[in-house]
Amino acid sequence: MTVTPQPLTAGQRGLLVLLCFDALLLGLLELFFLPLRLDGIVLPKLGDAPMPVTVVLAVLTTPLLVRTTAKVIRPSFSVIPLLVWVLVVLGMGMTGPGGDLVLVQDWRALLLIGGGALPGALVLGGGLGTAAKAGKGVKDG
């Protein structure tokens, strides 16, 4: 027996667009504020050390976007905000406005990409696995 998924309602499509727009904005915000330093201009002056506070934002918000999409829309669509975030960070980071390289070329870039993509991918896999288990009626035992 094959189960055909129901098409998305207009409200679900609107929420998916809103979540993708949120992923786009978060990706841009995290990318542009990644080079913050403790130099006394934006953050307090404490030795001019790099302070990638947007990595914490990425670690918290990317899995939240994936989980929200899985709950509100459908688990199979929860990959879309994660892909939007990754494409924005990599695309805008490598070919920024005017062809500038926005993504800093050091450990902070790896931390941002890993800190946003890895937790999001873990939540995505967990959600898809739970949905598949619930759909097939597989029981642990």
Side-chain angles (χ1 to χ4, degrees):
M1 183 168 108
T2 304
V3 178
T4 57
Q6 298 296 323
L8 294 179
T9 64
Q12 287 176 322
R13 283 192 300 265
L15 281 172
L16 183 61
V17 168
L18 183 65
L19 287 166
C20 289
F21 184 68
D22 190 25
L24 180 130
L25 289 179
L26 282 168
L28 287 175
L29 176 83
E30 293 157 0
L31 183 64
F32 289 147
F33 284 101
L34 184 63
L36 281 179
R37 301 182 76 82
L38 294 170
D39 58 0
I41 297 173
V42 176
L43 297 176
K45 184 159 182 69
L46 293 172
D48 202 28
M51 186 68 177
V53 293
T54 60
V55 172
V56 176
L57 185 65
V59 167
L60 296 174
T61 59
T62 308
L64 184 65
L65 285 170
V66 172
R67 185 178 297 123
T68 303
T69 305
K71 285 183 181 179
V72 174
I73 298 168
R74 197 175 295 157
S76 60
F77 283 87
S78 59
V79 70
I80 297 173
L82 181 62
L83 285 176
V84 168
W85 184 87
V86 168
L87 290 174
V88 164
V89 169
L90 291 179
M92 186 61 95
M94 297 299 187
T95 60
D100 293 336
L101 189 63
V102 178
L103 195 60
V104 291
Q105 301 297 306
D106 61 4
W107 57 273
R108 294 173 289 178
L110 293 175
L111 200 60
L112 176 65
I113 294 168
L118 183 62
L122 289 173
V123 170
L124 173 67
L128 290 177
T130 303
K133 184 177 178 181
K136 292 182 180 179
V138 177
K139 295 182 181 177
D140 290 332

